[in-house]
Structures are given as structure tokens and as C-alpha cells.
Amino acid sequence: MSPKALTPLLNVTDLHKSFGTNKVLRGIDFSVRSGEVLALIGPSGSGKTTALRCLNGLESPDSGVVSFAGGPEVAFQPGLPAKKAQVLRDRSAMVFQGHHLFPHLTVLQNVTIGPLQVQRRPREEVMARANELLERVGLEQKSSDYPSSLSGGQQQRVGIVRALMLQPDLLLFDEPTSALDPELVGEVLSVIKELAQEGWSMVLVTHELAFARDVADTVVFMDDGVVVEHGPAAQVLGNPTHERTKAFMQRLLHPF
Amino acid sequence: MDSLWQLALDSLWPMVSGALTATIPLAIISFALGLAVALMVALMRISTNKVVSGIARGYISIIRGTPLLVQLFVIFYGLPSVGITIDPWPSAIIAFTLNVGGYAAEIIRAAILSVPGGQWEAGYTIGMSKTRTLYKLILPQAARVAIPPLSNTFISLVKDTSLASMILVTEMFRRAQEIAATTYEFMLLYMEAAAIYWVICLVLSAVQDRMESRLEKYVA
């Protein structure tokens, strides 16, 4: 693993979020340094996906602060207009569990629409970068195909390229392999691992503990809306100190 | 028999020209304006603002719950008694536009809602605003769902323009009525009018098929 810079990139402070009476986040804090890979793990319903979505402004927490070094900083409060959280998307890009590619656009259009139409970068540069990245993930032959003609693993790799094309400082992955057939998981994980080795900063919600141990620098274990344990991947995954973390690991390692 | 043929031929051009100068333009203009109204009403109907969606609901309910002929009569014969006089053509366009707006709004609303919510989020996450996501990503996908029922609406509208004859618009069917009134050949002329409507609708169906197959290309 490449040496990591120590410059802070993202600071998340005291996120609270309720859906009705259901308190999903009850004071979440963590930070990400530049080049760091942080894995968010925890049982389903622990709030990890909600926490991740807050970082991209897709979810509006009731309170708390999401702050990127050098801006933007968003202090959430009830009734905060959705527009105010949009600025977070200047720094982060999201890869969804269900890829959410645009079915009516070709692979190339899917990955270039953001840079061309929103960021208004020069067409030549965008096209060159798109072709380079599609080639990197082994999909240069598919650039004029529609997403429906790709396999699940190929679709998710396009989803990753779409996020990379936005030139974010932080990549967000929401269980990027959970919707895939088991034999397709590897091709997606290996792309993510390469990106990690290249020094991309990322926050990764995942159920793949072996992968988290392999790729992540830091692991945050969440349960019931709070951060239970936060530390170096080897320590949290290999030698957890909290009972709840231990029990979770046991359940994943010995499901039967 | 020969004279009947002759009458059929002689009346063909006046009727076809009525279709070209009135029936078809009336249908196209009203449909285009009606779609704009429908999109606005559909978005109002989806709105989380209760007042806004309530207004849209009320509008759709009134349009769908009253006969088109009555709507035409209210606008052309009714409004003058409250001091608003509108010529036949604008009256017809207003009535047909409002009518299409009500019916197509429900079609467009359902089509927009048929696009998975993840598509909106994907638009947001690549930096698009709500409006841009709607126009660039959601509506193109909704179009595939909306085109068959919207084609139905358009075909109905083409035939419904015959009602404009009741408010003195000289469209195709009014030509048929005028010729029939002087020749007493009602059966011949009304069948001829029916045939022309049918031919127009055959062409429209073919156009619909082509549009549908173009939009199907990305579906596996």
C-alpha cells in the first residue's frame, strides 16, 4: 500500500438523522485523510449507507457538519434547502449499489454527460479521459453499447468510471458488489483495489470483510446509529475491542 | 351511379383541403400546446405542496369530467355573455389545448413516476440540478412509456376536431356538411369524411410505430 499523506480531507461531525421516530444516525463522527481508504461496516440497519449518502448530499441529516478541507462545509439543520447540500458534490462522487446507469445513454455518454454538460470541461479532454478510463477497466470495446447489454460487473465498472470522470477528491461506494452475482464480484473489487493503490481517497460501505481488510486503511464499525469502533483496519477487523464488533465478526465468519 | 362518383370526386378536394388547412393544423397546434400544459400540470400534481397538487387535481378532474363539446360551447357561446368574445379558431385551440392538457397530464405523470428513483439520484450525484435531471435524464426515459398512450390522445384529438364544426370552424367535417346540405347525399359525404379521418389516423399509427421502435433501441 502506498504511503498515505496526513493531510485531512473530510471531517464528519455529530450527524443525527431520524426517519419519523426511527433514529438512524445518533451522532456520527469520523474523518478521512487525503489518500485514505475508509471502510464503513456494520449490520444492516446500522445507518452506514445513510451516513455515506449524507456525504454526497443525497440525504439531509437533521444536524451535524460535513466539511471538506478547503471547503465546502455544510452544517445541516432541519429545513435546510436541498440546494445547500449540493455543493458537497463538487468534491465527492458516488458509486451506487444498483449502479443506476442511464439506460437511454450509451456507455460513453453515461460517463461523459456530467463532465460535458455540468462541469463544461473541453470535449476533447473529456473524451480522451473517458476512453482512457474505460480502457483501464477493460470496457473500451463497449463504449457505444447501451448499459442493458452489459453484465452486472461491467455495469458497475461503468458506474465507477462515471464517478471517476467527475474528478472528485473523494470516492463514495455504497455496497458496490452487493447486487452482483458472486462470480462477478471479483472484477469490480479488483478495480476498486487498483484505485486504492493509486492513492484515491475513498469511503466504502461494504459487507466484504476480507476485501476491507485487504484494501482499507481504516475501518469504522457502526451499529444502531453510532460509531462503535474506529481504528486501523487490521486492528478493528483482526482484534476488535468491543463486544458488538466481535459478535458481528463472528456472525459473518460463522453464519451457520 | 356516375353522378355519385362525380360528386365523390368533386367533393374530395374541398374536404381534403379542409383537412390540410384546418383539421390537421388545429390538431397539431392544440396537441403541442396541450403537451406543454400537461407537463406543467403533471409536475404540479407530483409536487409535495398540497395546494399546488390540489389545483392540478381539480383541473384534471374538471377536464375529464365534462364533455369536450360542452367545453367548446362554454368558451365560444358562453363567454360572450360575460363580455369575453373569442373567434372560432382561437376558441377551438383553447378548448382542445385545455382538454389535451388534462388527459395528457395523467399520462405524463405516470410516465415520470415509472422512472426509478435511483435515476434522479444518479443525476444529482453527477452534479445536475433537479430541473436538468428532469429534462436530460427522466423525461427521455419517461417518453418511452408515454408515447403509446399519448399517441392515443393525439388520434382522439384529430377526430375530436370535427366538433369544432359546431362553433363555426370550417374544418373538414363542416365542408362535408355544407356539400351534403346542398346535394342531399348525406351517406356519401359522411362516409367520405370518415374515410379521410381513417387515412389520417393510419398515417399517425405508422408514425407512432416508428417512434416506438426508435425509443426501444436501448431496451435489451
Side-chain angles (χ1 to χ4, degrees):
Chain A
M1 215 165 285
S2 59
K4 305 289 176 180
L6 288 172
T7 27
L9 173 64
L10 171 77
N11 227 326
V12 178
T13 319
D14 204 24
L15 290 184
H16 286 261
K17 170 80 180 171
S18 303
F19 293 110
T21 56
N22 182 17
K23 289 183 177 156
V24 184
L25 301 180
R26 300 186 297 160
I28 299 292
D29 300 87
F30 62 86
S31 58
V32 180
R33 282 162 296 136
S34 193
E36 179 178 348
V37 177
L38 184 147
L40 269 178
I41 64 168
S44 61
S46 60
K48 55 194 191 304
T49 289
T50 306
L52 184 81
R53 289 163 56 82
C54 291
L55 307 185
N56 199 231
L58 289 174
E59 211 73 75
S60 289
D62 304 324
S63 65
V65 179
V66 175
S67 157
F68 281 90
E73 175 176 301
V74 177
F76 288 97
Q77 59 190 55
L80 184 82
K83 279 204 165 118
K84 297 276 181 197
Q86 272 176 23
V87 287
L88 294 173
R89 293 167 201 150
D90 296 345
R91 301 293 300 272
S92 64
M94 184 87 156
V95 177
F96 296 95
Q97 180 178 356
H99 69 74
H100 299 337
L101 295 180
F102 308 122
H104 62 302
L105 302 179
T106 64
V107 165
L108 188 64
Q109 289 169 333
N110 259 281
V111 303
T112 55
I113 184 171
L116 289 177
Q117 297 202 4
V118 183
Q119 299 180 334
R120 302 207 165 275
R121 278 151 52 194
R123 188 172 184 85
E124 223 161 278
E125 176 252 302
V126 169
M127 289 298 165
R129 179 76 175 139
N131 286 319
E132 180 193 323
L133 288 171
L134 286 173
E135 194 178 330
R136 279 250 335 254
V137 300
L139 293 172
E140 68 277 15
Q141 307 289 340
K142 301 284 184 186
S143 62
S144 50
D145 292 4
Y146 288 95
S148 58
S149 67
L150 307 185
S151 73
Q154 291 172 330
Q155 288 169 338
Q156 194 55 292
R157 281 183 277 157
V158 176
I160 293 172
V161 171
R162 181 171 69 182
L164 291 174
M165 284 297 293
L166 299 169
Q167 301 182 320
D169 297 303
L170 180 65
L171 286 169
L172 307 173
F173 292 87
D174 182 14
E175 301 190 30
T177 58
S178 298
L180 296 178
D181 290 337
E183 77 269 24
L184 302 176
V185 168
E187 64 188 67
V188 173
L189 291 184
S190 71
V191 168
I192 299 173
K193 185 175 173 181
E194 268 181 51
L195 295 172
Q197 285 166 343
E198 276 173 32
W200 283 89
S201 317
M202 47 180 92
V203 177
L204 190 65
V205 170
T206 185
H207 286 129
E208 306 272 350
L209 290 195
F211 178 70
R213 186 192 300 246
D214 189 20
V215 172
D217 304 298
T218 317
V219 168
V220 168
F221 174 74
M222 281 178 65
D223 193 12
D224 206 16
V226 294
V227 172
V228 175
E229 197 155 351
H230 181 182
Q235 184 246 303
V236 177
L237 295 170
N239 192 14
T241 52
H242 286 74
E243 284 307 317
R244 280 196 278 180
T245 323
K246 285 181 195 167
F248 175 70
M249 303 288 178
Q250 281 302 315
R251 277 205 306 281
L252 281 198
L253 292 171
H254 307 289
F256 302 111
Chain B
M1 200 63 201
D2 274 358
S3 65
L4 271 185
W5 268 116
Q6 198 54 48
L7 178 59
L9 282 176
D10 289 347
S11 58
L12 188 60
W13 174 245
M15 286 166 71
V16 168
S17 86
L20 293 176
T21 60
T23 300
I24 292 172
L26 196 54
I28 290 176
I29 294 169
S30 306
F31 192 66
L33 296 174
L35 280 185
V37 171
L39 176 60
M40 201 180 71
V41 175
L43 294 175
M44 288 171 65
R45 178 96 159 70
I46 294 170
S47 166
T48 46
N49 184 321
K50 287 251 164 31
V51 177
V52 171
S53 74
I55 292 171
R57 256 174 214 278
Y59 169 75
I60 293 167
S61 171
I62 290 168
I63 292 296
R64 294 205 301 190
T66 56
L68 177 53
L69 186 59
V70 174
Q71 295 165 12
L72 278 163
F73 271 44
V74 166
I75 291 171
F76 185 70
Y77 295 113
L79 286 181
S81 54
V82 293
I84 304 169
T85 306
I86 308 174
D87 284 343
W89 258 83
S91 293
I93 287 177
I94 291 169
F96 291 134
T97 296
L98 293 176
N99 195 262
V100 168
Y103 279 93
E106 287 293 85
I107 294 170
I108 292 175
R109 179 182 70 93
I112 288 175
L113 294 180
S114 77
V115 178
Q119 291 291 311
W120 287 93
E121 293 197 339
Y124 299 155
T125 196
I126 63 168
M128 287 190 174
S129 65
K130 205 170 181 177
T131 313
R132 198 196 282 254
T133 303
L134 175 70
Y135 284 101
K136 292 283 178 182
L137 302 175
I138 305 301
L139 288 182
Q141 295 180 57
R144 199 176 65 81
V145 178
I147 280 189
L150 284 180
S151 302
N152 258 343
T153 306
F154 186 54
I155 286 172
S156 295
L157 174 65
V158 168
K159 295 177 295 177
D160 286 345
T161 56
S162 59
L163 292 173
S165 65
M166 306 291 287
I167 60 164
L168 315 178
V169 174
T170 315
E171 42 67 70
M172 179 175 80
F173 189 58
R174 188 160 180 90
R175 291 274 167 85
Q177 289 174 308
E178 286 166 359
I179 300 168
T182 55
T183 60
Y184 298 103
E185 292 295 346
F186 296 103
M187 185 64 178
L188 175 77
L189 285 150
Y190 293 162
M191 287 300 283
E192 198 171 341
I196 295 172
Y197 280 116
W198 188 40
V199 169
I200 295 173
C201 291
L202 282 179
V203 173
L204 291 175
S205 297
V207 172
Q208 176 190 349
D209 285 347
R210 285 194 56 171
M211 286 173 73
E212 278 183 39
S213 55
R214 272 187 55 181
L215 286 169
E216 288 298 328
K217 69 183 178 210
Y218 63 80
V219 180

